[in-house]
Amino acid sequence: RTELGKKKKEVQGKLADAQKLLNSLTAQERAALQADQARASRDSMRNALNGSTASASGRAGAAFAAAQSVIGSPYVYGASGPSSFDCSGLTSWAYAQAGVSIPRTSQAQANAGTRIYSQSDLKVGDLVLFYGDLHHIGLYAGNGQVLHAPHTGASVRYESIGNMPFQFGVRI
């Protein structure tokens, strides 16, 4: 509990620092940041929908459809839906909508199914984990895209899987 308390304070401190930084932006800078986020979401969605994507089926398909239904929902650290999400909150909520219970954190979700190390073997709806400490997760969307809740100030959106250091996928 002591260690968790320390980690919680550390994360809360980082969030407070990030909020201070956001609050220090001028209205013009804030508008430019929002425009960049909106453009990234539109571009990613257009890229995800171009080309062929393998269709998802079964519970992965249901989870992916649930995640698609909340595109545009804001990222909020620790949120598990239905109106806001963090990365692992989105994936656990999406699979819950498909009737599948998976752990809440990205690190625990990394062990929730069968690992897939080659991006070419990923199927729509597979979990995809990023960064060496596995602190970020999303759902594979096909066509080299991931559907995820990226970070504070952004919303649930499609993004290229190559924009983050891919570690492996997990098939539930």
Side-chain angles (χ1 to χ4, degrees):
R1 283 187 178 199
T2 302
E3 186 63 29
L4 285 175
K6 288 179 186 176
K7 292 278 187 194
K8 182 178 179 182
K9 279 188 175 185
E10 179 184 336
V11 168
Q12 287 173 331
K14 287 180 181 181
L15 283 172
D17 291 345
Q19 190 61 54
K20 283 180 192 173
L21 181 61
L22 283 173
N23 291 343
S24 72
L25 295 176
T26 65
Q28 185 177 8
E29 290 169 328
R30 200 172 300 204
L33 180 62
Q34 289 173 337
D36 285 347
Q37 293 290 332
R39 185 172 35 262
S41 291
R42 282 192 309 274
D43 291 349
S44 295
M45 182 176 275
R46 183 173 42 255
N47 289 339
L49 298 176
N50 288 336
S52 62
T53 57
S55 63
S57 61
R59 51 192 179 189
F64 185 72
Q68 285 182 303
S69 76
V70 296
I71 289 173
S73 297
Y75 177 99
V76 174
Y77 181 80
S80 298
S83 58
S84 59
F85 301 89
D86 69 7
C87 64
S88 56
L90 173 65
T91 53
S92 61
W93 177 86
Y95 267 92
Q97 304 317 295
V100 179
S101 177
I102 62 173
R104 172 60 179 85
T105 67
S106 57
Q107 291 88 353
Q109 289 175 18
N111 298 311
T114 305
R115 288 190 180 186
I116 301 153
Y117 292 97
S118 172
Q119 288 185 30
S120 63
D121 292 335
L122 292 171
K123 293 184 180 178
V124 173
D126 285 341
L127 300 174
V128 284
L129 289 111
F130 301 94
Y131 303 96
D133 62 356
L134 307 177
H135 74 264
H136 190 66
I137 192 166
L139 293 161
Y140 187 65
N143 199 31
Q145 299 288 306
V146 61
L147 179 55
H148 68 144
H151 53 77
T152 300
S155 57
V156 175
R157 68 181 186 206
Y158 291 101
E159 190 166 341
S160 172
I161 198 168
N163 288 355
M164 299 164 285
F166 173 79
Q167 300 301 302
F168 55 85
V170 173
R171 185 157 299 140
I172 303 297

